[in-house]
Amino acid sequence: MDPKTILEKLENTLKNNDIEFKKDIEGLGQVDATEKRSNGYQFTLQDHLRGLILALLSNQHPWKPIANNLDNLETIFLDYQPEKLRKTDSKDIINTN
């Protein structure tokens, strides 16, 4: 099967399952990050920490609940600021409501 046909079938399958993949892909920030990287943007440690934490949380788990709680996660993980996270006891992060 040629790549174009595979892509069309994949898109149809996602659409038939009510998965708005284009919106989801853009919502992940990957498209924006790729454009920034192409334009020479230097990602910060804070950017990398955010990506790492979200990758770890989403490993073997659906993305949607994580996406629905990005603001809460930002608060829990102290805006992904390395110094704040380094100085905070992990028990305080775990017990965040």
Side-chain angles (χ1 to χ4, degrees):
M1 192 177 313
D2 69 284
K4 185 175 180 179
T5 303
I6 293 170
L7 183 59
E8 287 172 356
K9 287 183 178 248
L10 178 60
E11 287 178 351
N12 287 334
T13 299
L14 292 169
K15 185 177 179 180
N16 291 337
N17 287 289
D18 294 321
I19 297 172
E20 299 177 48
F21 70 96
K22 289 182 181 179
K23 179 182 170 188
D24 290 343
I25 288 171
E26 289 179 11
L28 289 172
Q30 298 298 70
V31 175
D32 183 50
T34 301
E35 290 173 359
K36 283 181 176 180
R37 188 175 291 110
S38 294
N39 292 326
Y41 179 79
Q42 296 288 320
F43 289 92
T44 65
L45 180 56
Q46 185 174 357
D47 294 328
H48 288 291
L49 276 173
R50 179 181 185 273
L52 174 65
I53 290 169
L54 294 178
L56 291 170
L57 291 172
S58 64
N59 181 34
Q60 302 296 315
H61 296 281
W63 174 251
K64 192 166 191 148
I66 294 166
N68 291 341
N69 285 286
L70 289 175
D71 290 340
N72 292 334
L73 291 169
E74 189 171 317
T75 300
I76 291 167
F77 289 102
L78 308 172
D79 298 324
Y80 309 105
Q81 293 182 28
E83 281 303 307
K84 283 186 177 180
L85 287 167
R86 188 180 67 76
K87 293 177 182 178
T88 302
D89 189 320
S90 60
K91 292 175 188 170
D92 293 333
I93 293 173
I94 293 168
N95 294 322
T96 302
N97 293 322

